[in-house]
């Protein structure tokens, strides 16, 4: 009776305008479509937020954070209920990411595919709510709570029963944002599938049972790099990582794995995420003085400055063994960087094009149903929606909404990244197949499934843990006990501006590893096909034996002539 009274009192507080007590927050706009069951989406569509959102004076209520949007005035589309996209129209250009707009559209494409498939969730329509986190933890959290609440004003521990049930959330891209919302979703056992976060969700090694991801973790990337070091019998390697969680965690696993096979580390350095005039020269000096000809890297764009300075100093002839972050090598549109990386190996998550996605993207048009479409259109075609602004600026083009994405080349379609879209596509289908399997055990029909999800949405994650299906290109999709998928990495060989696949590393859900390399297809630094050596000391010839140097790694030794009456008839002993 007491619980009933408290519940009625709480509902009364929500329905009364006077004397309400709640934490002030902001409401996030969403790209949404109705359905019997909803899937949430969190994407960092904008990669910067307003500067005032970064400043917290701690003397008053923090100001709302807004994504940094276009400086181009945007009139609302005709009959649009949203008006212009909300946010800070600052003096900066739009930070809207074509990559993540493409991923948002991939989620919509997958939902539409499922709704049109009579064999998957028949008589159930999926809907969605997609939020722009703006690469900000606070917005990712507010978007999550708004989705769970079912109301524009997020209220913790409250869910509007008049709202369709929520199946789970596809998100986030960053590990920090993913980890934050996982802490909330795990309280309710709501399913969460990340499409980009590769780091550990918890620092202490524990896991959230309702957290899943559709791309391999950092741990498997690191094990893949270690397998390559062992395969090519390199005994003396340098290690290079970005000075943040991704790099440090990855390179630690690499070092742990290669140590099991007695591979020695010549040097190990952390690359600052921001330019540092002092650290780069120190790293260059260490590399130049080292005999190590193989450098294992767990970093991304942080390496650009180092590579350019190495080129200027003439420190070349190294084989770079690179992780996923540097695999999008097209960002280095610099001939000097290409020369430095030529002959190196990169492991990259295996990618496939989503069938039909490109055609779907070509048909996109600005729509009042898409709160992000005007700014996207304006950025793609470099046009203005505001007629008066076109006259005022002089020479500026006005957006008509009739422009065609398929006419000629544009920055949106010409950029790479369609292969990564399968991460989002697989995530949506994983939820749909889990719902379908749940429906198979409900003999009372689709309406009963909706009611079941309304009453106990947490039950879905139990089906998600056991889901197993083939995606639209026939690849197996499932999750292990840690919520990770089967991992397939392509091994790529760079030769100036050409990137060629020369092998593949597979990690099954059961933990089995399989490495396949075409050694003869690799072109190493200098263009040769013979695998380069990377040793501290060459093997001792017959008649000599190893004499280890005090205080140095076991891979460094002197070759001492055998004593009179002794013999060594094996190389390397």
């Amino acid at each position: 009776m007491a619980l009933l009274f408290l519940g009625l009192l709480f509902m009364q507080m929500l329905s009364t305008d006077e004397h309400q007590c709640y934490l002030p927050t902001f409401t996030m706009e969403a790209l949404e479509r109705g359905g019997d069951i909803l899937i949430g989406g969190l994407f960092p569509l904008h990669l910067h937020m307003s500067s005032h959102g970064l400043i917290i004076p701690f003397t008053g209520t923090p100001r709302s954070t807004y994504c940094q949007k276009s400086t181009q005035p945007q009139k609302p589309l005709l009959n649009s209920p949203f008006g212009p996209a909300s946010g800070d129209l600052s003096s900066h250009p739009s930070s809207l990411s074509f990559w993540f707009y493409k991923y948002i559209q991939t989620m919509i494409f997958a939902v539409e595919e499922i709704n049109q498939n009579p064999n998957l969730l028949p008589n159930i329509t999926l809907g969605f709510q997609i939020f722009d986190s703006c690469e900000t933890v606070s917005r990712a959290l507010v978007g999550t709570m708004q989705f769970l609440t079912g109301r524009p004003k997020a209220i913790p521990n409250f869910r509007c029963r008049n709202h369709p049930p929520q199946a789970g959330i596809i998100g986030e891209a960053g590990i920090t944002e993913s980890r934050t919302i996982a802490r909330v979703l795990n309280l309710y056992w709501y399913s969460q599938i990340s499409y980009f976060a590769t780091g550990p969700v918890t620092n202490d090694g524990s896991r959230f049972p309702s957290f899943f991801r559709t791309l391999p973790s950092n741990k498997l990337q690191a094990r893949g790099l270690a397998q390559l070091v062992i395969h090519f019998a390199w005994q003396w390697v340098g290690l290079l990582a970005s000075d943040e969680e991704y790099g440090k965690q990855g390179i630690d696993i690499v070092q742990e794995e290669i140590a099991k096979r007695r591979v020695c580390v010549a040097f190990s350095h952390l690359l600052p995420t921001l330019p540092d005039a002092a650290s780069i020269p120190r790293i260059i000096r260490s590399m130049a003085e080292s005999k190590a000809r193989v450098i294992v890297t767990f970093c991304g764009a942080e390496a650009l400055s180092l590579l350019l300075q190495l080129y200027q100093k003439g420190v070349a002839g190294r084989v770079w063994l690179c992780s996923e972050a540097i695999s999008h090598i097209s960002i280095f549109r610099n001939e000097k960087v290409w020369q430095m990386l030529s002959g190196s190996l990169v492991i990259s998550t295996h990618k496939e094009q989503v069938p039909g996605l490109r055609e779907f993207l070509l048909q996109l048009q600005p729509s009042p149903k898409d709160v992000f479409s005007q700014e996207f259109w304006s950025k793609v075609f470099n046009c203005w929606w505001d007629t008066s602004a076109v006259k005022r600026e002089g020479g500026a083009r006005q957006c008509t909404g009739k422009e065609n994405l398929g006419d000629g080349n544009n920055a949106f379609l010409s950029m790479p990244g369609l292969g990564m879209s399968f991460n989002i596509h697989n995530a949506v289908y994983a939820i749909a197949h889990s719902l379908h399997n749940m429906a198979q055990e409900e003999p009372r029909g689709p309406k009963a499934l909706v009611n079941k999800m309304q009453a106990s949405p947490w039950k879905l994650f139990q089906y998600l843990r056991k889901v197993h299906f083939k995606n639209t290109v026939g690849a197996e999709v499932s999750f292990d006990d840690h919520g990770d998928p089967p991992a397939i990495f392509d091994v790529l060989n760079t030769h100036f501006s050409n990137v060629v696949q020369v092998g593949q590393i597979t990690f099954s859900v059961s933990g089995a590893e399989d490495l396949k390399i075409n050694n003869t297809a690799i072109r190493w630094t200098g263009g040769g096909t013979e695998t380069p050596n990377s040793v501290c000391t060459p093997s001792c010839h017959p008649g000599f034996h190893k004499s280890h140097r005090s205080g140095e790694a076991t891979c460094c030794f002197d070759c001492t002539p055998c004593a009179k009456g002794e013999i060594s008839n094996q190389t390397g002993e």
Side-chain angles (χ1 to χ4, degrees):
M1 182 64 70
L3 287 175
L4 177 60
F5 172 76
L6 288 174
L8 291 172
L9 178 62
F10 180 61
M11 292 304 297
Q12 180 67 26
M13 289 174 62
L14 289 176
S15 60
T16 305
D17 291 331
E18 291 187 78
H19 308 300
Q20 288 191 16
C21 180
Y22 59 87
L23 289 173
T25 183
F26 54 92
T27 299
M28 289 174 59
E29 61 187 353
L31 196 172
E32 53 190 331
R33 190 169 302 167
D36 299 314
I37 299 174
L38 300 183
I39 301 176
L42 284 168
F43 298 85
L45 178 61
H46 291 85
L47 302 181
H48 300 288
M49 67 178 184
S50 58
S51 57
H52 63 66
L54 298 170
I55 302 170
I56 303 177
F58 298 101
T59 56
T61 304
R63 298 177 66 184
S64 300
T65 56
Y66 292 106
C67 299
Q68 183 176 294
K69 299 191 176 182
S70 175
T71 57
Q72 298 177 357
Q74 298 172 344
K75 289 183 66 176
L77 293 176
L78 189 63
N79 299 324
S80 170
F82 303 105
S86 65
D88 177 37
L89 297 181
S90 66
S91 59
H92 301 283
S94 169
S95 66
L96 182 143
S97 165
F98 286 158
W99 284 63
F100 285 101
Y101 191 78
K102 188 180 298 182
Y103 299 148
I104 287 173
Q105 294 302 323
T106 302
M107 180 174 170
I108 297 171
F109 172 72
V111 169
E112 290 187 359
E113 266 191 335
I114 293 164
N115 287 340
Q116 294 167 11
N117 186 345
N119 299 316
L120 184 59
L121 282 178
N123 301 316
I124 293 287
T125 300
L126 291 180
F128 53 80
Q129 274 190 313
I130 299 174
F131 299 92
D132 176 12
S133 68
C134 191
E135 210 172 26
T136 308
V137 171
S138 61
R139 289 181 61 90
L141 194 55
V142 170
T144 299
M145 295 306 301
Q146 198 169 312
F147 176 71
L148 295 181
T149 300
R151 294 166 58 103
K153 181 70 71 174
I155 304 170
N157 295 322
F158 171 77
R159 184 161 61 91
C160 180
R161 291 287 179 152
N162 294 326
H163 196 260
Q166 301 98 335
I169 286 183
I170 309 297
E172 240 273 2
I175 186 58
T176 303
E177 293 82 4
S178 295
R179 185 181 294 142
T180 301
I181 64 176
R183 291 192 178 102
V184 174
L185 294 174
N186 196 62
L187 294 174
Y188 311 99
W189 285 9
Y190 268 97
S191 300
Q192 173 190 359
I193 307 179
S194 173
Y195 47 87
F196 259 21
T198 57
V201 184
T202 55
N203 293 324
D204 60 2
S206 64
R207 69 181 185 90
F208 295 117
S210 59
F211 178 84
F212 303 82
R213 56 179 139 217
T214 51
L215 78 170
S217 66
N218 284 350
K219 183 176 181 179
L220 294 183
Q221 289 186 50
R223 285 172 56 188
L225 289 172
Q227 284 298 313
L228 290 176
V229 172
I230 294 164
H231 172 80
F232 292 110
W234 290 319
Q235 293 295 312
W236 189 236
V237 300
L239 303 179
L240 196 62
S242 53
D243 190 10
E244 38 80 49
E245 183 179 21
Y246 168 81
K248 289 188 284 190
Q249 186 226 9
I251 213 68
D252 283 348
I253 295 172
V254 171
Q255 188 165 359
E256 179 183 334
E257 291 292 319
I258 63 177
K260 296 175 184 176
R261 303 299 288 267
R262 297 183 179 180
V263 177
C264 301
V265 175
F267 57 83
S268 181
H269 295 294
L270 294 176
L271 270 173
T273 53
L274 297 175
D276 184 348
S279 62
I280 298 297
R282 185 177 67 252
I283 295 172
I284 292 174
R285 188 162 53 250
S286 174
M287 292 175 61
E289 294 172 354
S290 175
K291 295 180 181 178
R293 289 297 176 264
V294 174
I295 302 166
V296 184
T297 69
F298 223 90
C299 54
E302 303 90 354
L304 181 58
S305 176
L306 173 65
L307 289 166
L308 290 173
Q309 292 190 48
L310 284 169
Y311 178 88
Q312 293 172 356
K313 299 288 184 182
V315 182
R318 272 67 171 173
V319 174
W320 296 76
L321 203 54
C322 307
S323 67
E324 173 81 12
I326 211 171
S327 67
H328 307 293
I329 207 163
S330 60
I331 64 172
F332 298 128
R333 300 182 184 279
N334 187 299
E335 184 179 344
K336 297 175 182 177
V337 173
W338 278 111
Q339 289 187 41
M340 291 300 301
L341 293 175
S342 183
S344 296
L345 297 178
V346 180
I347 68 167
S348 175
T349 308
H350 182 69
K351 301 172 182 65
E352 296 275 2
Q353 300 283 338
V354 179
L357 177 60
R358 181 178 175 83
E359 291 72 25
F360 176 81
L361 295 173
L362 285 172
Q363 296 174 10
L364 290 178
Q365 292 288 331
S367 167
K369 295 181 180 180
D370 184 346
V371 296
F372 310 123
S373 64
Q374 271 193 288
E375 185 185 0
F376 162 74
W377 207 255
S378 178
K379 186 169 183 177
V380 171
F381 293 105
N382 193 28
C383 57
W384 296 60
W385 288 100
D386 192 304
T387 306
S388 61
V390 173
K391 296 177 180 178
R392 184 174 64 252
E393 291 297 320
R397 298 195 313 107
Q398 182 177 352
C399 300
T400 65
K402 297 181 180 179
E403 294 85 359
N404 191 338
L405 285 170
D407 289 344
N409 293 325
N410 58 66
F412 176 63
L413 288 177
S414 62
M415 67 182 299
L418 278 175
M420 295 294 287
S421 299
F422 243 125
N423 295 345
I424 295 93
H425 195 267
N426 285 342
V428 177
Y429 268 81
I431 289 180
H433 277 279
S434 299
L435 286 168
H436 185 85
N437 295 340
M438 194 173 176
Q440 298 305 300
E441 299 180 9
E442 182 51 71
R444 293 174 296 170
K447 182 67 175 177
L449 173 65
V450 175
N451 293 337
K452 190 174 183 179
M453 284 296 298
Q454 190 72 268
S456 307
W458 55 270
K459 288 186 177 180
L460 179 66
F461 98 90
Q462 297 174 338
Y463 291 85
L464 195 55
R465 292 179 67 179
K466 297 182 289 185
V467 76
H468 192 154
F469 64 95
K470 289 186 177 181
N471 65 17
T472 52
V473 295
E476 302 277 346
V477 179
S478 61
F479 303 101
D480 64 15
D481 291 340
H482 302 286
D484 292 330
I488 302 176
F489 294 102
D490 294 331
V491 181
L492 309 176
N493 179 217
T494 65
H495 187 61
F496 293 101
S497 59
N498 296 321
V499 180
V500 180
Q501 182 177 342
V502 294
Q504 197 166 78
I505 308 172
T506 303
F507 295 90
S508 69
V509 169
S510 64
E513 302 177 10
D514 182 34
L515 170 64
K516 295 178 181 178
I517 294 287
N518 183 357
N519 290 349
T520 58
I522 300 174
R523 295 293 179 268
W524 298 103
T525 302
T529 57
E530 184 178 350
T531 303
N533 287 324
S534 188
V535 296
C536 181
T537 306
S539 299
C540 296
H541 296 294
F544 293 80
H545 69 90
K546 291 181 180 179
S547 178
H548 291 289
R549 300 170 187 168
S550 177
E552 296 192 32
T554 56
C555 299
C556 300
F557 50 84
D558 295 318
C559 291
T560 306
C562 296
K564 188 175 182 180
E566 296 180 357
I567 185 171
S568 170
N569 59 4
Q570 289 184 321
T571 300
E573 297 299 321

